[in-house]
Amino acid sequence: MAQKTALCFGGTGVAGSAVVRNLKHDTDDWKIIVVSHQPKPEGLELFEDVEYVQADAFNTGAFRTKLRNYQITHLFYTAHVFKPNMNFMPANDLGLRMVREITSFTAKIAPYFRTLVEEDFQKMFANIVGMDDGGSNLKLFTSVMDVLKDHPLEHAGIVTGGRCYGSVFMGPGLHDYVIPFREDFPRIAADSWYYQVEDALAELAKERGFNWSVMRPSTIIGYSEGSPFNFGTSLAVYASLMKELGRPLVFPGMMKAYNAQIDHTSAELLARQLIWAVREPKAKNEAFNCVNADRARWFEVWMAIGKWFDMPIELKENGMSTDAILLDAEKSGLWDDMIKKYGLRNQPLSKLAPKTTIDSFMMIDWDQPYSVDKIREAGFTETVDSSKMFCDLFQVLRDVKAIP
């Protein structure tokens, strides 16, 4: 079988790192090229035996030159230009409750004047969570595709996400909230970069004659050295700090969130689904949801996390902001003390667990199930145990001395 050449754009992130791992163990013969704007991480076995290209994709001339000795046949595009979300949220319990109460109140009153303001609501929240990015992600994607126009591209797989359904910010009351989320749902009114990139992909594929696939995950959980906003790692750091302080593992969300069904996405599952789509005829030119599909609720996962850290859990009616814990640990030197005490890798707390990362996810206190009917019909049947997924990640973080 002829060797395939994979360009993993964004290969140092959570999803991209998982793609690299799975390609290295795939049955097909892959030449792997990792592209990132970051320097090659030192001492990581993952990036041994692969070609690593540090490049600014917006500088298409220089990027094209760096790829001139390759013949790219497959693109795995997992990068995006990040717009920090919820950055207006104060780092205290009051601030977290305030934002939740505003969204809850908005959901209650929206039905009374939905026809007048629904579109404005959607645009406002899309801007808050970074869906309306001013065209940055479309520009990045088209720059990459421009560089690849002279390559023998056969397939392009990209990752967008569940925000295209309004799942992250449009709870019941703010629009026609129908669950589970299905791939053929009508688009919301917001000007989302997900829509822009998916449309550009389909149009370019039609023009150039390659196949494509789109994966729409929920929150991606996995290990990487190059992801600036990693929810799973942030949870591990938060739990480690609370344990060091001798405090119980307080669930950051409100009681409704504790009982809510939230589909998570294993980065490894996402990678396997992307690679599966390369070979599966039924996946040709289609978009698929990508979630663990174990229908877990937060209380199940949180109890497993508490057990793994050997900590009692605690619930608060209105939740608790984790930002204050993280900021205090940074200012007081607690994290630096833990690095010395446990021999941890010297990584800034703000890099491992950026503020607002946990709080913004924990604001969701309604069920968010994704349909997997479409991908099951196409032949992909894998599921992942979400509790085990988190605990496996924590073990990796402990093994690499990221947490005690």
Side-chain angles (χ1 to χ4, degrees):
M1 183 179 292
Q3 186 181 55
K4 300 180 175 72
T5 302
L7 177 67
C8 300
F9 189 81
T12 58
V14 178
S17 294
V19 170
V20 174
R21 269 191 297 274
N22 281 270
L23 284 175
K24 291 178 75 171
H25 296 96
D26 191 54
T27 54
D28 287 352
D29 183 15
W30 290 95
K31 182 181 182 65
I32 304 170
I33 303 163
V34 175
V35 175
S36 175
H37 68 281
Q38 302 182 55
K40 183 178 180 179
E42 296 182 4
L44 284 184
E45 183 180 348
L46 176 65
F47 297 116
E48 295 177 3
D49 304 321
V50 303
E51 301 286 334
Y52 193 96
V53 176
Q54 182 182 1
D56 176 6
F58 290 116
N59 185 344
T60 53
F63 188 23
R64 182 176 284 106
T65 298
K66 290 187 176 185
L67 294 183
R68 64 186 175 187
N69 294 326
Y70 305 110
Q71 291 291 301
I72 308 300
T73 59
H74 292 76
L75 170 66
F76 295 95
Y77 186 95
T78 59
H80 74 273
V81 180
F82 185 81
K83 176 180 178 181
N85 58 349
M86 302 300 178
N87 55 9
F88 60 89
M89 185 164 55
N92 54 53
D93 292 357
L94 177 62
L96 183 60
R97 289 198 302 272
M98 177 186 70
V99 175
R100 285 182 174 137
E101 287 170 4
I102 289 173
T103 55
S104 177
F105 175 72
T106 301
K108 291 176 182 177
I109 65 175
Y112 296 101
F113 52 103
R114 169 180 290 179
T115 56
L116 297 177
V117 298
E118 179 179 14
E119 193 167 312
D120 290 333
F121 272 131
Q122 294 184 11
K123 290 179 179 178
M124 176 185 72
F125 279 92
N127 182 265
I128 289 172
V129 301
M131 285 178 63
D132 183 359
D133 67 340
S136 298
N137 278 284
L138 178 62
K139 182 180 179 182
L140 178 64
F141 177 70
T142 53
S143 294
V144 173
M145 295 306 294
D146 180 62
V147 169
L148 294 181
K149 65 183 179 183
D150 297 324
H151 289 255
L153 192 63
E154 299 174 15
H155 185 97
I158 70 170
V159 176
T160 55
R163 294 183 184 188
C164 66
Y165 307 122
S167 61
V168 170
F169 59 94
M170 302 291 290
L174 287 178
H175 68 151
D176 293 324
Y177 191 77
V178 180
I179 53 177
F181 306 130
R182 298 184 183 280
E183 293 88 344
D184 59 356
F185 273 13
R187 292 179 172 182
I188 62 174
D191 188 18
S192 167
W193 69 263
Y194 290 174
Y195 304 150
Q196 296 169 358
V197 171
E198 288 187 13
D199 290 348
L201 173 66
E203 184 177 341
L204 288 169
K206 187 176 181 180
E207 290 176 1
R208 302 182 191 175
F210 61 84
N211 297 325
W212 57 267
S213 59
V214 171
M215 301 304 161
R216 297 173 181 168
S218 180
T219 306
I220 304 172
I221 306 298
Y223 174 72
S224 83
E225 291 282 331
S227 176
F229 288 86
N230 187 320
F231 179 61
T233 299
S234 295
L235 276 184
V237 171
Y238 163 67
S240 299
L241 290 170
M242 294 293 276
K243 185 169 185 177
E244 188 70 12
L245 291 167
R247 298 174 61 178
L249 184 62
V250 179
F251 181 69
M254 294 193 294
M255 288 298 295
K256 285 180 63 179
Y258 192 64
N259 293 296
Q261 178 187 318
I262 307 294
D263 275 339
H264 296 97
T265 300
S266 159
E268 303 301 318
L269 176 78
L270 174 59
R272 289 191 288 272
Q273 195 165 302
L274 280 163
I275 297 169
W276 163 84
V278 169
R279 294 187 282 257
E280 175 53 59
K282 293 181 181 178
K284 177 181 176 182
N285 303 335
E286 296 286 349
F288 294 99
N289 290 334
C290 180
V291 292
N292 293 350
D294 62 340
R295 297 295 186 250
R297 295 187 178 273
W298 258 124
F299 73 85
E300 302 171 84
V301 175
W302 202 252
M303 286 191 293
I305 293 175
K307 182 177 180 181
W308 194 89
F309 280 98
D310 193 22
M311 296 172 66
I313 62 174
E314 182 178 317
L315 307 178
K316 292 181 179 289
E317 184 66 30
N318 292 312
M320 184 191 77
S321 173
T322 61
D323 282 359
I325 302 296
L326 296 171
L327 288 173
D328 287 347
E330 192 169 33
K331 290 179 180 178
S332 68
L334 174 62
W335 181 249
D336 291 334
D337 292 341
M338 290 173 65
I339 289 175
K340 297 174 184 176
K341 179 179 178 180
Y342 298 106
L344 304 180
R345 297 169 61 183
N346 190 12
Q347 299 181 86
L349 185 60
S350 58
K351 179 181 178 181
L352 277 175
K355 70 183 184 71
T356 78
T357 299
I358 298 175
D359 286 354
S360 59
F361 282 107
M362 289 296 186
M363 285 181 61
I364 300 168
D365 58 8
W366 53 86
D367 289 350
Q368 287 197 329
Y370 289 62
S371 170
V372 291
D373 290 347
K374 181 178 178 181
I375 198 161
R376 293 291 184 263
E377 291 172 1
F380 190 90
T381 59
E382 186 175 349
T383 61
V384 172
D385 183 313
S386 293
S387 295
K388 184 177 184 300
M389 171 194 69
F390 276 103
C391 294
D392 287 347
L393 170 62
F394 301 154
Q395 188 60 55
V396 171
L397 292 170
R398 181 171 286 175
D399 291 344
V400 300
K401 295 291 186 180
I403 62 171

